[in-house]
Amino acid sequence: NLVEECDNVIACGPVLLDDGEVVDYSYILDSEEYKMVRQHKFFLTRHPRSAIGCNAQGEIFLIVADGRFRGRAEGLSIEELTKVCRWLGMVEAMNLDGGGSSTLWCKPYGVINHPCDNRKFDNEGERSVSSCLVVKRR
């Protein structure tokens, strides 16, 4: 069982780029059954987003896009996030999380984006989350 073999698990997705290719979800998005469920909006609507990826040289990218602030930070759809990842030169990329839990914290600066849980365009609106991704220099 894969879960028994893992010490750490993080729920995320969808995969955006795989070996340099955009992952095509149109077959899901175009289905009538899928249009009836809430997840359809997850792909097509702009939201705050977080993603991780790497370029062909193995350099890792962590990105966050703020949202829900009309005219200042409107968020990204999954397609738009994928385009940003390609523009940055990534060949592998995955959506991590969205909404108010899209927060990027960097030592020594603290929160460097504008999480939206306090409904203000500042960096004080972070929320408690059950998981995080930590990157440390070796």
Side-chain angles (χ1 to χ4, degrees), residues 54-75:
C54 67
N55 62 16
Q57 293 74 40
E59 296 172 306
I60 296 173
F61 293 77
L62 293 169
I63 62 174
V64 64
D66 291 320
R68 303 201 175 119
F69 295 100
R70 186 171 216 103
R72 297 181 89 176
E74 298 191 17

Side-chain angles (χ1 to χ4, degrees), residues 20-93:
E21 299 295 321
V22 173
V23 178
D24 182 13
Y25 293 102
S26 62
Y27 68 97
I28 297 171
L29 295 171
D30 292 341
S31 72
E32 288 304 316
E33 299 83 30
Y34 194 74
K35 289 179 183 177
M36 306 277 290
V37 298
R38 186 172 176 220
Q39 286 293 344
H40 193 257
K41 290 184 178 179
F42 171 82
F43 276 84
L44 302 177
T45 306
R46 288 179 166 177
H47 294 287
R49 306 272 184 186
S50 302
I52 187 168
C54 67
N55 62 16
Q57 293 74 40
E59 296 172 306
I60 296 173
F61 293 77
L62 293 169
I63 62 174
V64 64
D66 291 320
R68 303 201 175 119
F69 295 100
R70 186 171 216 103
R72 297 181 89 176
E74 298 191 17
L76 298 170
S77 67
I78 291 295
E79 180 181 9
E80 291 168 333
L81 179 60
T82 303
K83 287 179 181 180
V84 169
C85 291
R86 289 189 83 187
W87 177 75
L88 290 170
M90 294 184 210
V91 295
E92 304 288 342

